[in-house]
Amino acid sequence: MPASPSTARALNDRLALRLMQDEGPLTAGQLKKLTGLSRPTVADLVERLQGAGLVEVVGESGAERRGPNARLYGIVADRAHLAALDVRTDSVTVLVADLLGTTLAEATLPIGAQDGTGSAVAGAAALLERTAKEAGAERLHSVGIGAPGLIDPATGELRDTMGLPAWHRELVAALHARLPAAVLVENEVNLAAVAEHRLGAARGQDDFVLFWLGQGVGGAVVLGGGLRRGVAGGAGEIGLLPVPGTGGLPSATGCDGGFHALVGAEGVVRLGASHGLAGDAVALVRGAEGPFLDALAERIAIGAAAVVSVLDPGLVVLGGELGHAGGESLAARVRRRLAGLTPLDAEVRPSVLGDRAVLRGALLVARDAAQDEVFGVPSA
């Protein structure tokens, strides 16, 4: 059935807003060309969006041509404010942005082992409030949170996971209670994959896996352009993957005998020591060459071969602190070794966003939620 006039107007409005989001400010003529709509329809659309407070004149275009300049229309960026949180085991970083995703303020708070749960939660919540105030955001519309651990698919809440600080879960609950905003929680590696998919190494790739290599080891699976979380929210828990070379097997209570033991930070430091190298894992990997980097690539390729053999994603992105530090040099070595372990073709690329991937992913999730609501205003 054809859409009703009001539905057609709403669809056209959302299309125009999405184009301004992706392309930046546009003239009525550019909107006409990009949407395929008639000039009167575009004129009505622009007037409607201005009346709704969603679009405003932000400048003029046309200095390069004869005749009067054309008005440039852009989204009213301060129509809604967003926040993103990257929650680590020892810190929390907060970023506040406008509806277009432009960063307005950012801050980080270290949280030590000596800080109790109540103190950590109060400090993180206060950090968010201070940062929002600094950004001029009187009210936050949506808050995206990236945290380690499993997200319960049924409730969307962070599960009680052994080995992770209790203040993570308490912080999420506290923000739900204190803020009128929508609070959206997602596994940190999943958010990194969202960011790499839309802004980084996996742009244009609807099927890929992200290997998060750092103090811990995790993964994210994107198939058909969407995240695959699994029945229990544990899809991508590659640290638990049984692989040769660990001298043991993982268990229901720990990943010491799994892939984590080979490529986690502690395993990388031990590997460096066996090659006569000392230092923390990131320093060892950054700028490394020769036998040490070859050996590390061999270890990563073992886990990648297992994942590729099951999912056939076509692309593996090496993220986290170690994947980003190794860069193209490490990725190229993994790529060559992987080609000898599986007949399935798989490109291997380093992360583009590095440590910022989680925060960028959390902001994208918050922005999407806000725009879905704000851009969904009914048309008259």
Side-chain angles (χ1 to χ4, degrees):
M1 294 179 61
S4 67
S6 61
T7 299
R9 285 194 292 268
L11 291 173
N12 290 339
D13 290 354
R14 288 179 67 89
L15 173 59
L17 288 164
R18 291 298 179 188
L19 285 170
M20 289 184 221
Q21 165 69 62
D22 296 339
E23 305 291 336
L26 297 169
T27 66
Q30 289 170 327
L31 282 170
K32 176 180 179 296
K33 181 178 180 180
L34 291 170
T35 62
L37 299 173
S38 68
R39 189 175 300 277
T41 300
V42 170
D44 289 344
L45 175 154
V46 169
E47 182 178 356
R48 198 162 50 242
L49 293 177
Q50 284 184 292
L54 292 174
V55 164
E56 62 186 352
V57 177
V58 297
E60 292 185 339
S61 176
E64 71 285 352
R65 62 176 175 80
R66 294 180 180 179
N69 291 348
R71 292 178 176 178
L72 277 169
Y73 299 96
I75 293 171
V76 179
D78 62 0
R79 178 64 184 265
H81 288 97
L82 323 168
L85 279 72
D86 182 0
V87 179
R88 305 290 177 102
T89 55
D90 57 358
S91 69
V92 59
T93 297
V94 171
L95 181 152
V96 177
D98 62 24
L99 184 59
L100 293 175
T102 302
T103 299
L104 303 175
E106 183 176 341
T108 298
L109 176 70
I111 297 179
Q114 73 280 1
D115 293 314
T117 297
S119 174
V121 170
L127 179 71
L128 174 58
E129 292 170 351
R130 288 196 306 272
T131 308
K133 184 177 180 180
E134 179 186 340
E138 296 183 3
R139 179 183 182 276
L140 292 172
H141 184 286
S142 304
V143 179
I145 303 176
L150 302 181
I151 307 299
D152 189 324
T155 65
E157 297 178 352
L158 193 62
R159 291 174 54 182
D160 184 359
T161 305
M162 185 178 299
L164 293 177
W167 67 266
H168 287 188
R169 298 185 304 282
E170 295 296 331
L171 173 61
V172 173
L175 294 182
H176 272 295
R178 294 172 65 155
L179 297 176
V183 178
L184 312 163
V185 188
E186 182 59 88
N187 172 266
E188 58 177 351
V189 183
N190 281 349
L191 288 181
V194 168
E196 294 287 354
H197 185 209
R198 292 170 60 175
L199 305 171
R203 288 190 73 174
Q205 301 285 142
D206 282 345
D207 299 282
F208 71 97
V209 293
L210 172 74
F211 275 29
W212 185 269
L213 308 172
Q215 193 63 38
V217 175
V221 179
V222 174
L223 297 175
L227 280 170
R228 293 296 183 265
R229 296 176 177 84
V231 173
E237 288 294 322
I238 59 173
L240 291 165
L241 194 67
V243 291
T246 65
L249 289 172
S251 69
T253 58
C255 56
D256 291 342
F259 187 49
H260 169 86
L262 285 186
V263 296
E266 291 183 5
V268 171
V269 169
R270 289 193 297 269
L271 179 64
S274 71
H275 285 80
L277 304 174
D280 67 76
V282 173
L284 286 172
V285 173
R286 182 178 293 116
E289 295 291 343
F292 165 71
L293 203 61
D294 291 338
L296 178 58
E298 170 80 18
R299 291 183 170 196
I300 296 172
I302 289 172
V307 173
V308 167
S309 296
V310 174
L311 297 177
D312 188 17
L315 172 64
V316 176
V317 176
L318 303 183
E321 299 91 339
L322 301 183
H324 186 59
E328 177 56 32
S329 184
L330 176 61
R333 284 170 164 80
V334 174
R335 189 184 309 126
R336 289 194 294 269
R337 187 66 189 98
L338 180 60
L341 294 176
T342 174
L344 304 177
D345 292 334
E347 176 68 10
V348 180
R349 300 175 190 168
S351 163
V352 169
L353 302 175
D355 283 353
R356 303 286 293 177
V358 176
L359 204 59
R360 297 292 293 275
L363 181 59
L364 286 170
V365 167
R367 193 185 77 183
D368 287 349
Q371 290 186 352
D372 281 346
E373 180 178 326
V374 174
F375 289 177
V377 293
S379 297

